[in-house]
Amino acid sequence: MAKKSLIQREKKRQKLEQKYHLIRQSLKKRIRSKVSPLSLSEKTKIREKLQSLPRNSAPTRLHRRCFLTGRPRANYRHFGLSGHVLREMVYECLLPGATRSSW
């Protein structure tokens, strides 16, 4: 099980990302807009606004964690579980449609 402080930190990052998502998208859209070309000084002002946003509000700072244990590695997106938890659940027949491999 992951430390509770790390799990809480990840939840805080998710909240910040949701809070600043629209602001970040609108600023990026203004930089990339081809309809009205911006001067270099206008682009730098917009970039400064982007950089002034909290660092943890960037979506790249988010990390997927296991739904049950909070483990940050070996996560399967489809199930939201880490590898060893997924394996245990398949062995106990808790995941419908998943089969154990045997060769």
Side-chain angles (χ1 to χ4, degrees):
M1 183 101 181
K3 289 172 64 175
K4 290 184 180 180
S5 61
L6 296 178
I7 295 171
Q8 292 302 318
R9 185 185 306 162
E10 194 66 33
K11 287 181 182 177
K12 184 178 177 184
R13 283 182 181 152
Q14 288 174 352
K15 286 180 186 177
L16 271 175
E17 197 274 330
Q18 289 174 356
K19 180 178 178 182
Y20 289 100
H21 180 73
L22 292 176
I23 297 170
R24 189 175 291 277
Q25 291 299 334
S26 67
L27 289 173
K28 285 185 176 184
K29 199 177 281 186
R30 282 177 50 195
I31 287 177
R32 285 190 235 123
S33 69
K34 294 181 180 178
V35 176
S36 60
L38 299 173
S39 67
L40 188 61
S41 62
E42 292 173 344
K43 280 188 177 182
T44 55
K45 287 178 184 176
I46 295 172
R47 286 191 184 121
E48 286 174 1
K49 287 180 184 177
L50 262 174
Q51 289 176 353
S52 69
L53 295 176
R55 190 176 270 187
N56 281 334
S57 69
T60 55
R61 306 273 293 195
L62 295 177
H63 203 284
R64 265 190 328 275
R65 288 187 172 268
C66 176
F67 180 70
L68 294 177
T69 61
R71 181 180 159 88
R73 298 180 182 208
N75 281 305
Y76 288 85
R77 289 183 190 174
H78 185 72
F79 299 103
L81 300 169
S82 63
H84 69 87
V85 173
L86 181 72
R87 183 183 175 115
E88 290 172 4
M89 291 180 83
V90 169
Y91 283 152
E92 295 171 5
C93 298
L94 296 175
L95 290 175
T99 57
R100 295 183 286 192
S101 63
S102 60
W103 62 92

